[in-house]
Amino acid sequence: MTLSTLDLALVEEATKKSGLVWVRGTGPERALWHAWLDGAAHVLGDGPGEQPFPGLSDGSVAEVTVRSKDKGGRLVTWRAQVVELRPGGEAWNTAVAELKGKRLNAPDGERMTERWASQCRLLRLEPLSVDSSGHQGSLAAAPLPTPATTRQPIPAGLPKLLLKRRGRASGR
């Protein structure tokens, strides 16, 4: 099925403006940072220190949900053909140049493109169709388990410390 010009414009504008897209292949849905380039979203990961995207493989189909950057609500959901780009090719180099500017806090700075070429995967998500089913309800899901959890009980003395500071700030 071919996308209409209007559907393609909606997908492109919404995806370009969103910092994250939610992508589901055969695995769990994941929030992924991306770059829109040449009519498709490009995501990089599956390597050390990069975002994981299990269930996405070359030739598969994925569901991409784009959220509003300011309100966080769903703008559009579209189906994508997943194409893995090989390191060193023209398409790979162009996409990596765009993604490099969006990658925040890279541990290896200028050497990150070399690491990406040897240890990561770059996927191109090409729009196939727009989901017009009109999802009902919240679409909220429980967070995936992660070792990065930092939630711990607050220290016993913290409330007292905060109350002292508040008292000093109000001139007591």
Side-chain angles (χ1 to χ4, degrees):
M1 178 178 166
T2 306
L3 277 164
S4 72
T5 306
L6 186 60
D7 284 343
L8 187 56
L10 171 65
V11 166
E12 182 172 350
E13 278 305 304
T15 307
K16 270 184 185 179
K17 291 182 179 183
S18 182
L20 292 173
V21 290
W22 290 88
V23 181
R24 181 194 327 264
T26 58
E29 190 169 34
R30 299 270 182 175
L32 303 175
W33 64 274
H34 68 286
W36 182 270
L37 184 67
D38 297 329
H42 293 74
V43 295
L44 184 128
D46 265 2
E50 300 297 340
Q51 59 192 356
F53 36 73
L56 296 178
S57 59
D58 192 28
S60 66
V61 175
E63 181 182 79
V64 180
T65 300
V66 182
R67 66 172 181 82
S68 166
K69 197 170 187 175
D70 56 346
K71 302 286 184 188
R74 184 181 76 88
L75 294 175
V76 64
T77 299
W78 49 280
R79 290 173 35 87
Q81 179 71 45
V82 179
V83 177
E84 186 166 349
L85 301 180
R86 302 288 176 224
E90 185 178 335
W92 190 89
N93 290 332
T94 304
V96 163
E98 185 73 22
L99 287 162
K100 189 176 177 183
K102 293 180 177 270
R103 175 61 166 97
L104 304 176
N105 303 322
D108 48 2
E110 290 303 314
R111 297 188 41 87
M112 79 177 143
T113 55
E114 295 168 24
R115 178 174 52 85
W116 288 352
S118 64
Q119 300 176 353
C120 296
R121 296 189 309 140
L122 175 58
L123 303 180
R124 176 180 166 88
L125 305 176
E126 301 173 349
L128 293 173
S129 63
V130 172
D131 179 10
S132 57
S133 64
H135 290 287
Q136 300 297 318
S138 144
L139 297 180
L144 295 172
T146 175
T149 303
T150 58
R151 181 120 186 166
Q152 298 174 1
I154 63 170
L158 185 61
K160 187 186 270 186
L161 179 66
L162 292 174
L163 287 173
K164 271 187 188 177
R165 285 189 182 167
R166 192 176 296 156
R168 270 190 252 143
S170 64
R172 292 183 193 171

mmCIF file of all heavy atoms in Angstrom, residues 19-49:
data_model
loop_
_atom_site.group_PDB
_atom_site.id
_atom_site.type_symbol
_atom_site.label_atom_id
_atom_site.label_comp_id
_atom_site.label_asym_id
_atom_site.label_seq_id
_atom_site.Cartn_x
_atom_site.Cartn_y
_atom_site.Cartn_z
ATOM 1 N N GLY A 19 11.286 14.495 19.323
ATOM 2 C CA GLY A 19 12.615 14.067 19.738
ATOM 3 C C GLY A 19 12.734 12.557 19.875
ATOM 4 O O GLY A 19 13.803 11.995 19.730
ATOM 5 N N LEU A 20 11.608 11.908 20.162
ATOM 6 C CA LEU A 20 11.573 10.455 20.334
ATOM 7 C C LEU A 20 10.432 9.868 19.524
ATOM 8 O O LEU A 20 9.403 10.516 19.342
ATOM 9 C CB LEU A 20 11.320 10.078 21.797
ATOM 10 C CG LEU A 20 12.393 10.366 22.816
ATOM 11 C CD1 LEU A 20 11.861 10.075 24.215
ATOM 12 C CD2 LEU A 20 13.626 9.537 22.554
ATOM 13 N N VAL A 21 10.630 8.639 19.082
ATOM 14 C CA VAL A 21 9.533 7.874 18.504
ATOM 15 C C VAL A 21 9.462 6.556 19.273
ATOM 16 O O VAL A 21 10.467 6.068 19.786
ATOM 17 C CB VAL A 21 9.727 7.597 16.991
ATOM 18 C CG1 VAL A 21 9.579 8.869 16.195
ATOM 19 C CG2 VAL A 21 11.046 6.925 16.682
ATOM 20 N N TRP A 22 8.264 6.025 19.390
ATOM 21 C CA TRP A 22 8.073 4.722 20.030
ATOM 22 C C TRP A 22 8.000 3.693 18.927
ATOM 23 O O TRP A 22 7.172 3.811 18.017
ATOM 24 C CB TRP A 22 6.784 4.723 20.864
ATOM 25 C CG TRP A 22 6.917 5.580 22.070
ATOM 26 C CD1 TRP A 22 6.673 6.924 22.176
ATOM 27 C CD2 TRP A 22 7.363 5.172 23.355
ATOM 28 N NE1 TRP A 22 6.935 7.370 23.440
ATOM 29 C CE2 TRP A 22 7.362 6.310 24.190
ATOM 30 C CE3 TRP A 22 7.763 3.949 23.889
ATOM 31 C CZ2 TRP A 22 7.747 6.253 25.524
ATOM 32 C CZ3 TRP A 22 8.142 3.902 25.223
ATOM 33 C CH2 TRP A 22 8.125 5.043 26.018
ATOM 34 N N VAL A 23 8.875 2.677 18.993
ATOM 35 C CA VAL A 23 8.987 1.701 17.916
ATOM 36 C C VAL A 23 8.769 0.303 18.475
ATOM 37 O O VAL A 23 9.357 -0.068 19.487
ATOM 38 C CB VAL A 23 10.366 1.787 17.225
ATOM 39 C CG1 VAL A 23 10.458 0.791 16.083
ATOM 40 C CG2 VAL A 23 10.625 3.202 16.716
ATOM 41 N N ARG A 24 7.910 -0.466 17.780
ATOM 42 C CA ARG A 24 7.660 -1.859 18.159
ATOM 43 C C ARG A 24 7.880 -2.739 16.941
ATOM 44 O O ARG A 24 7.281 -2.539 15.902
ATOM 45 C CB ARG A 24 6.242 -2.057 18.664
ATOM 46 C CG ARG A 24 5.966 -3.506 19.077
ATOM 47 C CD ARG A 24 4.492 -3.861 19.266
ATOM 48 N NE ARG A 24 3.673 -2.797 19.761
ATOM 49 C CZ ARG A 24 3.342 -2.609 21.055
ATOM 50 N NH1 ARG A 24 3.806 -3.414 21.967
ATOM 51 N NH2 ARG A 24 2.552 -1.621 21.401
ATOM 52 N N GLY A 25 8.800 -3.698 17.109
ATOM 53 C CA GLY A 25 9.008 -4.739 16.108
ATOM 54 C C GLY A 25 8.371 -6.010 16.650
ATOM 55 O O GLY A 25 7.202 -6.018 17.010
ATOM 56 N N THR A 26 9.173 -7.061 16.776
ATOM 57 C CA THR A 26 8.663 -8.285 17.395
ATOM 58 C C THR A 26 8.902 -8.277 18.900
ATOM 59 O O THR A 26 8.372 -9.102 19.615
ATOM 60 C CB THR A 26 9.332 -9.538 16.787
ATOM 61 O OG1 THR A 26 10.747 -9.428 16.963
ATOM 62 C CG2 THR A 26 8.993 -9.664 15.317
ATOM 63 N N GLY A 27 9.706 -7.337 19.379
ATOM 64 C CA GLY A 27 9.988 -7.221 20.807
ATOM 65 C C GLY A 27 9.129 -6.144 21.442
ATOM 66 O O GLY A 27 8.158 -5.671 20.852
ATOM 67 N N PRO A 28 9.515 -5.724 22.645
ATOM 68 C CA PRO A 28 8.742 -4.688 23.337
ATOM 69 C C PRO A 28 8.886 -3.335 22.638
ATOM 70 O O PRO A 28 9.867 -3.072 21.947
ATOM 71 C CB PRO A 28 9.365 -4.648 24.729
ATOM 72 C CG PRO A 28 10.747 -5.194 24.551
ATOM 73 C CD PRO A 28 10.662 -6.181 23.428
ATOM 74 N N GLU A 29 7.897 -2.477 22.870
ATOM 75 C CA GLU A 29 7.942 -1.128 22.310
ATOM 76 C C GLU A 29 9.014 -0.328 23.053
ATOM 77 O O GLU A 29 9.133 -0.408 24.267
ATOM 78 C CB GLU A 29 6.575 -0.469 22.475
ATOM 79 C CG GLU A 29 6.432 0.818 21.728
ATOM 80 C CD GLU A 29 4.989 1.291 21.706
ATOM 81 O OE1 GLU A 29 4.268 1.058 22.696
ATOM 82 O OE2 GLU A 29 4.603 1.883 20.701
ATOM 83 N N ARG A 30 9.804 0.436 22.302
ATOM 84 C CA ARG A 30 10.900 1.217 22.883
ATOM 85 C C ARG A 30 10.841 2.657 22.403
ATOM 86 O O ARG A 30 10.508 2.931 21.260
ATOM 87 C CB ARG A 30 12.258 0.668 22.434
ATOM 88 C CG ARG A 30 12.546 -0.733 22.828
ATOM 89 C CD ARG A 30 13.212 -0.765 24.143
ATOM 90 N NE ARG A 30 13.526 -2.156 24.479
ATOM 91 C CZ ARG A 30 14.188 -2.492 25.530
ATOM 92 N NH1 ARG A 30 14.615 -1.577 26.354
ATOM 93 N NH2 ARG A 30 14.438 -3.744 25.800
ATOM 94 N N ALA A 31 11.214 3.577 23.285
ATOM 95 C CA ALA A 31 11.374 4.976 22.901
ATOM 96 C C ALA A 31 12.775 5.120 22.332
ATOM 97 O O ALA A 31 13.755 4.765 22.993
ATOM 98 C CB ALA A 31 11.196 5.888 24.109
ATOM 99 N N LEU A 32 12.882 5.632 21.111
ATOM 100 C CA LEU A 32 14.174 5.752 20.442
ATOM 101 C C LEU A 32 14.395 7.164 19.933
ATOM 102 O O LEU A 32 13.491 7.763 19.349
ATOM 103 C CB LEU A 32 14.251 4.783 19.249
ATOM 104 C CG LEU A 32 14.025 3.297 19.534
ATOM 105 C CD1 LEU A 32 14.020 2.515 18.237
ATOM 106 C CD2 LEU A 32 15.082 2.763 20.488
ATOM 107 N N TRP A 33 15.593 7.704 20.133
ATOM 108 C CA TRP A 33 15.930 8.978 19.510
ATOM 109 C C TRP A 33 16.281 8.669 18.062
ATOM 110 O O TRP A 33 16.711 7.568 17.723
ATOM 111 C CB TRP A 33 17.031 9.709 20.260
ATOM 112 C CG TRP A 33 18.369 9.027 20.305
ATOM 113 C CD1 TRP A 33 18.788 8.100 21.207
ATOM 114 C CD2 TRP A 33 19.457 9.217 19.394
ATOM 115 N NE1 TRP A 33 20.070 7.698 20.921
ATOM 116 C CE2 TRP A 33 20.506 8.372 19.816
ATOM 117 C CE3 TRP A 33 19.658 10.008 18.278
ATOM 118 C CZ2 TRP A 33 21.730 8.294 19.162
ATOM 119 C CZ3 TRP A 33 20.874 9.948 17.614
ATOM 120 C CH2 TRP A 33 21.894 9.101 18.063
ATOM 121 N N HIS A 34 16.100 9.632 17.208
ATOM 122 C CA HIS A 34 16.207 9.376 15.780
ATOM 123 C C HIS A 34 16.551 10.659 15.030
ATOM 124 O O HIS A 34 16.582 11.740 15.614
ATOM 125 C CB HIS A 34 14.879 8.835 15.252
ATOM 126 C CG HIS A 34 13.806 9.875 15.296
ATOM 127 N ND1 HIS A 34 13.221 10.266 16.485
ATOM 128 C CD2 HIS A 34 13.270 10.663 14.335
ATOM 129 C CE1 HIS A 34 12.348 11.232 16.230
ATOM 130 N NE2 HIS A 34 12.368 11.499 14.940
ATOM 131 N N ALA A 35 16.754 10.506 13.738
ATOM 132 C CA ALA A 35 16.886 11.652 12.832
ATOM 133 C C ALA A 35 16.063 11.329 11.589
ATOM 134 O O ALA A 35 16.077 10.195 11.105
ATOM 135 C CB ALA A 35 18.343 11.888 12.459
ATOM 136 N N TRP A 36 15.319 12.313 11.092
ATOM 137 C CA TRP A 36 14.552 12.139 9.864
ATOM 138 C C TRP A 36 15.435 12.619 8.720
ATOM 139 O O TRP A 36 15.949 13.730 8.732
ATOM 140 C CB TRP A 36 13.257 12.942 9.915
ATOM 141 C CG TRP A 36 12.435 12.730 8.690
ATOM 142 C CD1 TRP A 36 12.483 13.444 7.532
ATOM 143 C CD2 TRP A 36 11.461 11.707 8.479
ATOM 144 N NE1 TRP A 36 11.597 12.936 6.620
ATOM 145 C CE2 TRP A 36 10.960 11.874 7.173
ATOM 146 C CE3 TRP A 36 10.969 10.672 9.263
ATOM 147 C CZ2 TRP A 36 9.978 11.029 6.631
ATOM 148 C CZ3 TRP A 36 10.007 9.846 8.727
ATOM 149 C CH2 TRP A 36 9.506 10.024 7.438
ATOM 150 N N LEU A 37 15.612 11.773 7.718
ATOM 151 C CA LEU A 37 16.491 12.094 6.609
ATOM 152 C C LEU A 37 16.043 11.336 5.370
ATOM 153 O O LEU A 37 15.774 10.132 5.441
ATOM 154 C CB LEU A 37 17.926 11.693 6.994
ATOM 155 C CG LEU A 37 19.048 12.016 6.046
ATOM 156 C CD1 LEU A 37 19.239 13.529 5.951
ATOM 157 C CD2 LEU A 37 20.341 11.372 6.528
ATOM 158 N N ASP A 38 15.934 12.025 4.261
ATOM 159 C CA ASP A 38 15.597 11.400 2.977
ATOM 160 C C ASP A 38 14.345 10.525 3.045
ATOM 161 O O ASP A 38 14.337 9.390 2.561
ATOM 162 C CB ASP A 38 16.779 10.582 2.446
ATOM 163 C CG ASP A 38 18.002 11.433 2.162
ATOM 164 O OD1 ASP A 38 17.821 12.606 1.810
ATOM 165 O OD2 ASP A 38 19.124 10.920 2.296
ATOM 166 N N GLY A 39 13.300 11.025 3.681
ATOM 167 C CA GLY A 39 12.024 10.330 3.690
ATOM 168 C C GLY A 39 11.894 9.164 4.638
ATOM 169 O O GLY A 39 10.993 8.328 4.480
ATOM 170 N N ALA A 40 12.768 9.068 5.646
ATOM 171 C CA ALA A 40 12.687 7.967 6.614
ATOM 172 C C ALA A 40 13.317 8.374 7.936
ATOM 173 O O ALA A 40 14.165 9.269 7.993
ATOM 174 C CB ALA A 40 13.399 6.726 6.067
ATOM 175 N N ALA A 41 12.883 7.691 9.005
ATOM 176 C CA ALA A 41 13.494 7.888 10.323
ATOM 177 C C ALA A 41 14.697 6.952 10.419
ATOM 178 O O ALA A 41 14.634 5.805 9.975
ATOM 179 C CB ALA A 41 12.493 7.579 11.423
ATOM 180 N N HIS A 42 15.789 7.443 10.979
ATOM 181 C CA HIS A 42 16.996 6.644 11.162
ATOM 182 C C HIS A 42 17.269 6.519 12.653
ATOM 183 O O HIS A 42 17.296 7.529 13.361
ATOM 184 C CB HIS A 42 18.186 7.312 10.466
ATOM 185 C CG HIS A 42 18.067 7.322 8.973
ATOM 186 N ND1 HIS A 42 17.208 8.160 8.302
ATOM 187 C CD2 HIS A 42 18.688 6.580 8.031
ATOM 188 C CE1 HIS A 42 17.313 7.937 6.996
ATOM 189 N NE2 HIS A 42 18.206 6.986 6.810
ATOM 190 N N VAL A 43 17.461 5.281 13.115
ATOM 191 C CA VAL A 43 17.771 5.026 14.521
ATOM 192 C C VAL A 43 19.075 4.240 14.605
ATOM 193 O O VAL A 43 19.348 3.390 13.762
ATOM 194 C CB VAL A 43 16.630 4.278 15.254
ATOM 195 C CG1 VAL A 43 15.386 5.124 15.332
ATOM 196 C CG2 VAL A 43 16.326 2.946 14.601
ATOM 197 N N LEU A 44 19.857 4.557 15.613
ATOM 198 C CA LEU A 44 21.146 3.902 15.780
ATOM 199 C C LEU A 44 21.203 3.302 17.172
ATOM 200 O O LEU A 44 20.767 3.928 18.132
ATOM 201 C CB LEU A 44 22.261 4.938 15.615
ATOM 202 C CG LEU A 44 23.646 4.323 15.671
ATOM 203 C CD1 LEU A 44 24.447 4.739 14.468
ATOM 204 C CD2 LEU A 44 24.333 4.697 16.946
ATOM 205 N N GLY A 45 21.728 2.099 17.283
ATOM 206 C CA GLY A 45 21.834 1.478 18.604
ATOM 207 C C GLY A 45 22.291 0.048 18.545
ATOM 208 O O GLY A 45 22.992 -0.367 17.631
ATOM 209 N N ASP A 46 21.841 -0.712 19.528
ATOM 210 C CA ASP A 46 22.191 -2.123 19.704
ATOM 211 C C ASP A 46 23.687 -2.339 19.878
ATOM 212 O O ASP A 46 24.221 -3.363 19.486
ATOM 213 C CB ASP A 46 21.660 -2.984 18.553
ATOM 214 C CG ASP A 46 20.321 -3.592 18.894
ATOM 215 O OD1 ASP A 46 19.807 -3.314 19.994
ATOM 216 O OD2 ASP A 46 19.775 -4.341 18.069
ATOM 217 N N GLY A 47 24.356 -1.364 20.464
ATOM 218 C CA GLY A 47 25.778 -1.498 20.763
ATOM 219 C C GLY A 47 26.044 -0.998 22.167
ATOM 220 O O GLY A 47 25.163 -0.425 22.809
ATOM 221 N N PRO A 48 27.260 -1.159 22.662
ATOM 222 C CA PRO A 48 27.596 -0.702 24.012
ATOM 223 C C PRO A 48 27.341 0.796 24.188
ATOM 224 O O PRO A 48 27.781 1.606 23.381
ATOM 225 C CB PRO A 48 29.094 -1.002 24.136
ATOM 226 C CG PRO A 48 29.407 -1.957 23.031
ATOM 227 C CD PRO A 48 28.386 -1.756 21.967
ATOM 228 N N GLY A 49 26.585 1.143 25.214
ATOM 229 C CA GLY A 49 26.304 2.536 25.521
ATOM 230 C C GLY A 49 25.270 3.191 24.630
ATOM 231 O O GLY A 49 25.049 4.391 24.723
#
